[in-house]
Amino acid sequence: MAKPRKPRTSAPDPPVSAARLPWHPPAPPVPTAVLISLAALLVRVLVSVGPYSGQGAAPKFGDYEAQRHWMELTLHLTPSDWYRNTSDNDLAYWGLDYPPLSAYQSLLHGRIINASLPEAVALRSSRGYESVESKLLMRWTVLSSDLLVFFPAALWFVWAYMKLGIGGEERREGWMWLLSMVLMSPCLVLIDHGHFQYNCISLGLTLGATAGVLSRNELVAAALFTLAINHKQMSLYFAPAFFSHLLGKCLKRKYPIVEVTKLAFVVLGTFALVWWPFLHSHEAALQVISRLAPFERGIYEDYVANFWCSTSVIIKWKKLFTIKPLKLMSLSATILAFLPSFIQQVKSPSNLGFLYSLMNSSFSFYLFSYQVHEKSILLPLLPASLLALEEPRMYGWFVYFALFSMYPLICRDQLLLQYVAVLGLFFLIYYSPGGSYGKRSNISCRAKLVLSLPFLCSLLLHITYLQIDPPKRYPFLFDALIMFVCFSQFVILALYTNYKQWMLDTHSRSIGVKKDL
């Protein structure tokens, strides 16, 4: 009798984890972090090959020329003349309008470039200087700044975030995806390495300060955040979050006055060190301060997607009000906007609440403060990236519309190819197998339909902006439409993150909000 044949069995399917990219264990952490960092660096290098702000656009050029000019000024003039109008320093031509630490950074970079290409930073004769060699050197200064400040801060933050188990123990495996989200932020890459700025320094210092808070190094955090403010005054967007969180923690300790005093000494000491060359006279200090608050420029610039610019279509703020009442209205609206987040952190400081507070505070300044420009969206984007594991859908949505809000600027800089490539790469990683997108997303079909409307409008405006000329009577019609779409999304996101921060107090969550007292 023949033996019965055994039924053939097909080879077992590979485990799901085999299809994943390295956003999960057992990938070795250090080599993987290095590879992610190198990939992020490569993206920056490729973007930097393209054009920059104001390239060949005489007589004032753009932000590239501004940064080069500041290197020229700080290299050849004494600190007392950096912020004063003199025969060698025409403040009308890209006068220095950032705090002293930014000036010291320009001096350092100016010395490096002067050693290799002195004609690029020669006093007066170098205005509008452009060459292949100078572009390479200038791009290198941004890349090195990113590597020395932002990259280490990102690694420190991810380490502190995962060590404390913020957002729940089950999220620990997503640290590599989180690191990729922080380092691959398309807006920061395009503005710093395409348009040309040094936001990576101030944002890197702020990110380091955030990591310091999470790892319970409050004094280090206070020093780093003070340095961030002294590099770019827009870092004050985060000040209410840092102040309220640290104050709330101090008030819950045994000796609150001693804790507050220690932080105050660190802040004041750091300010004194940075401002030392300008403290010799009252006039010198006031001269610097006057350059940091350019109220004469108006309450907003270009078509920025904030409250004042978006509503100016109906209410002509600049025509109806002088600078003084506009400053008062702007200050009042900004305080009212960040006050709920501020109160929540003083009342119940927590690590997760602090990250939400950073976003809510910076969003309040972006939407309502005085003299906001489109690149200021980088500030609320930073804490949004830190919340990527907690709020993956919110972060992806925010990144898309934040980048879209700068679309007219990108087109003016002729960076459309880089725009498409970086955005595509970001979402390729964002939706990658093993990433955190969609793990907790349960959105109804009706909600998806509503969300699709602004997205479809943005796609239509992308094409319309390039292919169709606006009416001669309304030359900035498409810029305004882009502003309206993005403003509507920013308002919704700000309301959502404020709600989520307050719900940390009222709901017991399975992810566990870890108190850090």
Side-chain angles (χ1 to χ4, degrees):
M1 186 174 179
K3 292 183 179 180
R5 289 184 179 181
K6 293 182 178 179
R8 288 186 178 182
T9 57
S10 59
D13 293 331
V16 175
S17 60
R20 292 186 175 185
L21 294 178
W23 316 135
H24 62 94
V30 174
T32 307
V34 171
L35 286 174
I36 293 171
S37 301
L38 288 175
L41 177 63
L42 178 60
V43 171
R44 286 158 166 79
V45 170
L46 294 174
V47 169
S48 68
V49 174
Y52 49 78
S53 169
Q55 184 169 337
K60 291 200 72 174
F61 301 94
D63 278 350
Y64 175 93
E65 168 62 10
Q67 299 290 345
R68 188 216 57 77
H69 183 57
W70 295 341
M71 296 178 195
E72 167 198 341
L73 294 177
T74 54
L75 182 65
H76 295 286
L77 303 181
T78 61
S80 60
D81 288 335
W82 288 352
Y83 295 91
R84 288 196 310 121
N85 199 54
T86 67
S87 58
D88 291 325
N89 184 14
D90 180 9
L91 294 181
Y93 183 82
W94 297 116
L96 186 58
D97 54 6
Y98 284 130
L101 187 60
S102 189
Y104 304 149
Q105 167 237 310
S106 295
L107 174 60
L108 175 61
H109 289 157
R111 286 179 174 174
I112 293 171
I113 292 177
N114 187 59
S116 304
L117 196 66
E119 59 268 28
V121 287
L123 187 62
R124 292 189 299 273
S125 64
S126 64
R127 281 195 178 187
Y129 186 92
E130 292 180 303
S131 70
V132 175
E133 293 81 6
S134 65
K135 177 184 175 180
L136 288 173
L137 288 170
M138 292 284 284
R139 292 295 198 189
W140 179 86
T141 61
V142 184
L143 286 167
S144 60
S145 300
D146 220 341
L147 275 175
L148 292 173
V149 182
F150 192 83
F151 277 56
L155 290 166
W156 185 19
F157 168 80
V158 171
W159 175 82
Y161 185 98
M162 292 302 167
K163 183 181 179 183
L164 292 174
I166 297 173
E169 294 293 326
E170 70 276 10
R171 299 273 181 83
R172 284 181 181 269
E173 68 176 28
W175 73 268
M176 299 177 199
W177 185 84
L178 176 61
L179 179 62
S180 300
M181 291 295 98
V182 176
L183 291 180
M184 294 287 193
S185 177
C187 296
L188 179 60
V189 172
L190 285 171
I191 293 301
D192 274 15
H193 302 276
H195 178 83
F196 199 94
Q197 284 192 342
Y198 294 91
N199 296 289
C200 56
I201 297 179
S202 57
L203 292 178
L205 290 168
T206 302
L207 182 53
T210 304
V213 169
L214 298 186
S215 57
R216 304 185 184 183
N217 294 300
E218 286 92 353
L219 298 182
V220 174
L224 289 174
F225 183 60
T226 306
L227 290 174
I229 294 172
N230 280 286
H231 186 264
K232 283 198 172 185
Q233 60 269 39
M234 285 81 76
S235 298
L236 284 168
Y237 284 23
F238 301 114
F242 275 96
F243 183 83
S244 60
H245 179 77
L246 293 175
L247 177 62
K249 289 169 72 173
C250 289
L251 293 176
K252 294 181 181 298
R253 289 175 177 168
K254 188 174 182 180
Y255 302 107
I257 296 178
V258 174
E259 298 295 332
V260 171
T261 303
K262 288 193 295 184
L263 290 171
F265 270 119
V266 170
V267 171
L268 293 175
T270 307
F271 262 106
L273 285 173
V274 174
W275 283 70
W276 187 255
F278 308 97
L279 297 180
H280 62 277
S281 72
H282 183 67
E283 181 185 358
L286 286 179
Q287 183 64 45
V288 179
I289 294 172
S290 67
R291 291 294 301 161
L292 304 184
F295 293 114
E296 69 280 357
R297 294 183 186 175
I299 196 167
Y300 57 83
E301 284 190 13
D302 296 326
Y303 281 83
V304 59
N306 76 345
F307 173 80
W308 304 109
C309 190
S310 298
T311 57
S312 66
V313 175
I314 302 172
I315 306 171
K316 304 300 180 182
W317 301 104
K318 292 182 179 181
K319 293 182 179 179
L320 292 175
F321 301 96
T322 59
I323 291 177
K324 189 172 181 179
L326 280 177
K327 288 194 293 185
L328 183 60
M329 288 190 292
S330 173
L331 177 64
S332 302
T334 305
I335 292 174
L336 288 174
F338 73 66
L339 195 58
S341 173
F342 184 96
I343 292 173
Q344 191 276 335
Q345 277 303 282
V346 173
K347 175 186 171 186
S348 305
S350 67
N351 290 320
L352 188 56
F354 173 56
L355 298 182
Y356 276 110
S357 182
L358 286 170
M359 185 169 177
N360 292 327
S361 172
S362 53
F363 239 148
S364 300
F365 278 84
Y366 176 83
L367 291 173
F368 297 107
S369 68
Y370 199 97
Q371 233 297 296
V372 174
H373 52 72
E374 65 268 56
K375 296 182 289 294
S376 299
I377 197 64
L378 291 174
L379 287 108
L381 262 176
L382 175 66
S385 69
L386 309 184
L387 285 164
L389 275 178
E390 178 68 19
E391 301 281 358
R393 184 177 291 275
M394 179 274 292
Y395 179 55
W397 195 252
F398 187 20
V399 165
Y400 176 78
F401 282 99
L403 194 55
F404 182 51
S405 73
M406 296 190 290
Y407 185 64
L409 174 68
I410 296 297
C411 291
R412 288 197 300 271
D413 290 343
Q414 299 179 7
L415 290 166
L416 188 59
L417 175 63
Q418 289 80 358
Y419 176 93
V420 174
V422 172
L423 183 61
L425 177 62
F426 172 81
F427 280 107
L428 184 66
I429 298 171
Y430 179 75
Y431 287 109
S432 62
S436 291
Y437 172 80
K439 286 186 177 178
R440 295 170 49 188
S441 301
N442 293 312
I443 296 182
S444 65
C445 293
R446 184 179 297 179
K448 288 180 180 179
L449 180 62
V450 172
L451 289 173
S452 68
L453 292 177
F455 178 70
L456 292 175
C457 288
S458 71
L459 292 180
L460 180 62
L461 283 169
H462 270 106
I463 300 170
T464 304
Y465 192 87
L466 292 176
Q467 299 297 325
I468 302 176
D469 292 329
K472 291 183 179 180
R473 188 178 177 183
Y474 304 105
F476 299 105
L477 174 63
F478 300 144
D479 299 70
L481 291 175
I482 290 172
M483 172 190 69
F484 290 139
V485 171
C486 295
F487 173 65
S488 67
Q489 301 309 297
F490 295 161
V491 170
I492 292 170
L493 288 170
L495 292 172
Y496 170 77
T497 51
N498 270 278
Y499 169 80
K500 288 298 291 287
Q501 183 181 341
W502 270 95
M503 288 303 100
L504 296 176
D505 283 345
T506 57
H507 292 295
S508 174
R509 303 178 52 155
S510 61
I511 60 173
V513 178
K514 185 172 181 178
K515 297 286 182 178
D516 181 23
L517 304 179

